[in-house]
Amino acid sequence: MSTTNYPLLERVNDPADLRRLSRAELKSLAGELRAFVLESVSKTGGHLSSNLGTVELTVALHAVFDTPRDRLVWDVGHQTYPHKILTGRRERMGTLRQLGGLSGFPQRAESEYDTFGTAHSSTSISAALGMALAAKQKGEDRRAIAVIGDGAMTAGMAFEALNNAGVADADLLVILNDNDMSISPPVGALNRYLAQLMSGQFYAKARDVGKSVLRNAPPLLELAKRLEQQAKGMVVPATLFEKFGFNYIGPIDGHDLDSLIPTLENIRSLKGPQFLHVVTKKGQGYKLAEADPVAYHGPGKFDPRVGLVKPATPPKQTFTQVFGQWLCDMAAKDQRLVGITPAMREGSGMVEFHQRFPGRYYDVGIAEQHAVTFAAGMACEGVKPVVAIYSTFLQRAYDQLIHDVALQNLPVVFALDRAGLVGADGATHAGAYDIAFVRCIPHMSMACPADERECRQLLTTAYEQDHPVAVRYPRGAGVGVAPLAGLEGLPFGKGEVRRQGRRIAILAFGTLLYPALQAAEKLDATVVNMRWAKPLDTELLLRVAAEHEALVTVEEGCIMGGAGSAVGEALNAAGVLRPLLQLGLPDAFIEHGDPARLLALQGLDAEGMERAIAQRFCAWPDGGPRNHLWGCCLEVRHRGFGRRWRHAQRSGAGAFLRLIRGFERLLAD
């Protein structure tokens, strides 16, 4: 991306260049950096509000600390675009979140300045503490800095780290970037406590008195202004963070470099655990994002002069919206239903539910472990909890899923959004493992709807069960099958044959049913919509296996331990021997890119499925007549020559010649 309009920014290719600038130049640099972030994100899409809010903080951190020698760990990483730009990646920002381009999060393989890979919340303090104590063990004099948001501070892991750090002799600086906003509205006692710290009357009065006394003495006023930031820390006695063993400093204005830089310089010389409370504003400097930071949290491409506009044609209904409507409809029918989210109200489609049923809506903050056990406690009392959680975030509560829900066989519904590949957010947010890690747990069931209609129906089926059930669905829209208006379910643990073919049966789990149907048309294969990874429809499976010579499983999840493995286990248990091809996500982390392109690269589009099946069971030459040659090859290999020969003769000269060519190539192989 061109930097011709950013003369100072163009001079900064790494933090060493930044440290040569004067304070006045750093202020101008911050202005250019904010404008560049806005221009860049408007062209690529990505996280905007959070990055506009951390411009000055990023500049100050790289100006004061000797990065990368001093370790800078960003929690989550939504806010690291300014960091990427200042650390030698400015010219690559046009590739952000695209296949082969820059990650939207810190990534160790991308830069030495990305000291720790992040994307899930609340990891920064633990990682930075580990780095600080490792430096001490090695006899190295370096600082470790963790930057964490107020939303991420609600997670238990953050407090576990604080508890450990406060008694550790480590040169650790924790910076609380307090913007009073998580993706969903901030909740909980900690948020209330932080608000009290910032609104303390004692501090406000002390500040105002000082300014009134010194108004006519500019040099003294300037001195008082510089001391003000330290005073803020001193006038609030015995803060929570001091009780944890930290030296608490703040709150200070996170957009004022004249406050930030001297404060950080002073902290740099202090030993032991330090806690700096910085107040910022999401969307800072861009009025539209300041007014609606949620809308500009992760926008697609847009014109900064106009802002976000609604598309001319309404987009297809997403799976998230299907869930949100189902939740409201089921709540209206059943007073026992409660909805639980770990701070993802918007992302999980629960805004309307919150508005219509506020007394049955629970946002527990970024606290996935607590969310699951909280739901278990409610289920013990006859309430019917529905936990709306991203597949990748449920990983964080795996022990609770086993120990607190499944072991006690409690009827909790898990609505797993973002199952499968998620596109621009990459490997950290991909829901690749849920089938594998859910189906191995006793009492648990796993539903895999193929489209929007099935999603609504299988949510109902899940809700009707007296044991825990997970329903997985992908990000975005499906093929556009309109959900039914009612709340009818589908048979528990039962699949269906969607296309009757011959010789090969494709068993599809989830939305890959539709590319499987396309591939089956070319191959004249049977297609089964399995619907359930657990319980597996064993009766249907064995019937299909008896009628076909080979089986193929397709799933948008990991092959190892996934639904295909379940099919193999069931066949083995029944003593049925059939060639089995498992198609799914490989044993590798799949990075960011366009979702359709990523699926194609894994061979999970229609063409990829067709090619994989052909290569496994009968290779044909490129450009050959696929349907007839496929049938010929299988006939020769499995049923013998005669019947297919007679069929080809009856079908005409074209089929006969294709048969001959097939035999010739088969013999050549």
Side-chain angles (χ1 to χ4, degrees):
M1 184 172 293
S2 172
T3 56
T4 52
N5 297 323
Y6 311 99
L8 269 176
L9 189 60
E10 195 171 27
R11 290 163 49 189
V12 178
N13 295 306
D14 60 48
D17 295 332
L18 179 148
R19 295 176 199 124
R20 287 190 279 269
L21 300 179
S22 67
R23 184 79 58 82
E25 287 176 316
L26 288 176
K27 292 179 182 178
S28 299
L29 176 69
E32 291 184 14
L33 181 56
R34 176 168 282 108
F36 186 85
V37 167
L38 178 58
E39 180 189 357
S40 175
V41 174
S42 71
K43 294 178 179 178
T44 63
H47 295 101
L48 182 61
S49 297
S50 52
N51 283 287
L52 293 176
T54 57
V55 167
E56 287 83 7
L57 178 60
T58 306
V59 169
L61 285 168
H62 283 297
V64 172
F65 292 98
D66 184 19
T67 56
R69 187 175 183 279
D70 289 329
R71 309 304 198 214
L72 183 56
V73 182
W74 298 90
D75 208 280
V76 185
H78 284 159
Q79 73 279 45
T80 53
Y81 298 177
H83 164 79
K84 288 175 182 279
I85 294 165
L86 295 176
T87 53
R89 289 167 277 181
R90 181 185 65 240
E91 297 297 335
R92 295 184 63 202
M93 285 298 291
T95 70
L96 185 74
R97 292 160 43 102
Q98 298 167 36
L99 185 64
L102 292 179
S103 169
F105 303 97
Q107 195 173 81
R108 282 172 56 83
E110 189 176 288
S111 171
E112 63 178 337
Y113 291 93
D114 293 358
T115 61
F116 195 78
T118 58
H120 289 186
S121 82
S122 320
T123 61
S124 61
I125 304 175
S126 298
L129 176 62
M131 293 174 183
L133 290 177
K136 181 181 178 182
Q137 184 171 317
K138 294 162 65 180
E140 298 171 347
D141 183 20
R142 66 168 93 244
R143 299 303 298 240
I145 305 104
V147 184
I148 186 169
D150 54 304
M153 280 292 295
T154 63
M157 187 174 175
F159 283 89
E160 291 171 21
L162 288 174
N163 187 55
N164 186 193
V167 295
D169 185 16
D171 292 335
L172 170 70
L173 169 60
V174 175
I175 298 177
L176 173 60
N177 178 28
D178 186 356
N179 53 37
D180 195 35
M181 198 211 102
S182 52
I183 298 171
S184 292
V187 297
L190 179 65
N191 178 70
R192 200 171 298 167
Y193 173 74
L194 294 176
Q196 291 171 358
L197 284 182
M198 290 188 294
S199 62
Q201 290 300 306
F202 184 72
Y203 158 68
K205 288 179 180 178
R207 177 192 61 192
D208 293 339
V209 168
K211 287 184 177 180
S212 65
V213 170
L214 300 171
R215 186 166 287 119
N216 297 318
L220 293 178
L221 178 60
E222 180 62 26
L223 176 63
K225 186 178 179 181
R226 292 186 179 185
L227 293 173
E228 180 181 333
Q229 308 307 324
Q230 300 295 338
K232 290 183 185 182
M234 293 185 289
V235 299
V236 183
T239 67
L240 170 69
F241 307 105
E242 287 170 327
K243 293 294 185 182
F244 269 105
F246 283 78
N247 175 39
Y248 175 86
I249 302 161
I252 70 171
D253 185 352
H255 301 297
D256 182 5
L257 286 173
D258 287 331
S259 298
L260 278 171
I261 290 177
T263 302
L264 289 171
E265 287 174 340
N266 290 337
I267 292 173
R268 186 179 57 189
S269 62
L270 300 176
K271 294 294 188 180
Q274 311 293 322
F275 193 102
L276 175 62
H277 187 173
V278 173
V279 181
T280 62
K281 185 177 182 65
K282 276 199 171 182
Q284 174 73 16
Y286 184 49
K287 296 300 183 184
L288 294 173
E290 289 180 14
D292 192 354
V294 173
Y296 288 87
H297 169 71
K301 300 177 184 179
F302 69 100
D303 184 347
R305 296 168 298 179
V306 178
L308 301 178
V309 295
K310 292 184 178 179
T313 56
K316 289 195 296 185
Q317 188 179 32
T318 66
F319 282 96
T320 302
Q321 291 168 333
V322 170
F323 164 74
Q325 187 59 58
W326 171 86
L327 189 66
C328 290
D329 293 346
M330 185 59 77
K333 178 183 176 182
D334 189 345
Q335 296 295 316
R336 298 174 300 163
L337 184 148
V338 297
I340 300 170
T341 176
M344 293 302 295
R345 183 189 70 165
E346 286 80 5
S348 296
M350 297 181 71
V351 174
E352 184 181 351
F353 177 79
H354 183 196
Q355 294 168 346
R356 289 180 57 185
F357 305 96
R360 294 153 66 186
Y361 165 84
Y362 297 93
D363 185 345
V364 302
I366 303 177
E368 293 87 357
Q369 293 173 299
H370 165 58
V372 173
T373 303
F374 172 67
M378 286 196 136
C380 287
E381 300 301 322
V383 174
K384 294 280 286 187
V386 178
V387 180
I389 189 168
Y390 292 4
S391 170
T392 185
F393 295 157
L394 183 60
Q395 296 165 188
R396 314 191 85 188
Y398 194 51
D399 176 65
Q400 288 70 28
L401 184 67
I402 298 171
H403 184 271
D404 299 338
V405 175
L407 187 64
Q408 304 181 93
N409 201 23
L410 295 171
V412 179
V413 175
F414 295 91
L416 304 188
D417 207 323
R418 275 60 167 181
L421 300 180
V422 292
D425 283 339
T428 58
H429 281 58
Y433 314 109
D434 48 34
I435 295 176
F437 74 63
V438 166
R439 78 173 192 86
C440 66
I441 304 173
H443 296 153
M444 288 290 307
S445 295
M446 169 65 83
C448 308
D451 52 45
E452 299 88 339
R453 180 175 296 177
E454 282 196 357
C455 185
R456 180 176 171 95
Q457 290 178 290
L458 288 174
L459 283 164
T460 295
T461 304
Y463 187 80
E464 290 171 345
Q465 306 310 309
D466 196 31
H467 60 82
V469 184
V471 182
R472 75 186 309 259
Y473 46 90
R475 183 176 192 174
V479 294
V481 181
L484 301 174
L487 288 168
E488 302 87 355
L490 287 168
F492 178 74
K494 295 296 181 181
E496 61 168 359
V497 176
R498 288 290 289 265
R499 184 189 190 279
Q500 190 63 56
R502 51 198 303 270
R503 294 187 172 82
I504 302 293
I506 304 173
L507 313 178
F509 296 84
T511 54
L512 293 186
L513 169 71
Y514 289 92
L517 286 167
Q518 294 177 44
E521 287 295 326
K522 301 283 184 68
L523 302 169
D524 193 21
T526 294
V527 178
V528 182
N529 178 19
M530 294 299 291
R531 286 183 179 150
W532 294 86
K534 184 184 180 183
L536 201 65
D537 192 344
T538 308
E539 180 183 355
L540 177 60
L541 170 63
L542 295 179
R543 188 176 79 239
V544 170
E547 297 171 352
H548 294 79
E549 296 165 4
L551 302 176
V552 180
T553 62
V554 295
E555 59 192 301
E556 196 175 337
C558 61
I559 294 174
M560 298 181 70
S565 296
V567 168
E569 292 162 12
L571 292 173
N572 187 54
V576 176
L577 297 178
R578 287 289 182 277
L580 176 63
L581 172 63
Q582 294 173 237
L583 302 180
L585 300 179
D587 186 25
F589 293 112
I590 299 168
E591 293 297 343
H592 49 276
D594 175 72
R597 176 64 173 152
L598 292 177
L599 281 174
L601 288 173
Q602 307 310 315
L604 295 178
D605 60 346
E607 185 178 344
M609 292 179 192
E610 185 186 352
R611 182 172 57 250
I613 293 170
Q615 290 173 348
R616 172 68 168 81
F617 296 113
C618 181
W620 62 68
D622 290 341
R626 299 184 175 184
N627 279 338
H628 289 275
L629 185 57
W630 169 263
C632 293
C633 291
L634 280 179
E635 192 71 42
V636 170
R637 291 187 178 185
H638 299 293
R639 298 284 180 95
F641 176 81
R643 189 157 59 94
R644 186 65 190 181
W645 179 274
R646 291 190 294 272
H647 172 75
Q649 287 180 310
R650 290 194 300 272
S651 299
F656 186 79
L657 289 173
R658 283 190 288 272
L659 176 65
I660 296 299
R661 286 197 292 270
F663 290 165
E664 289 173 347
R665 292 182 179 113
L666 191 63
L667 292 171
D669 290 342

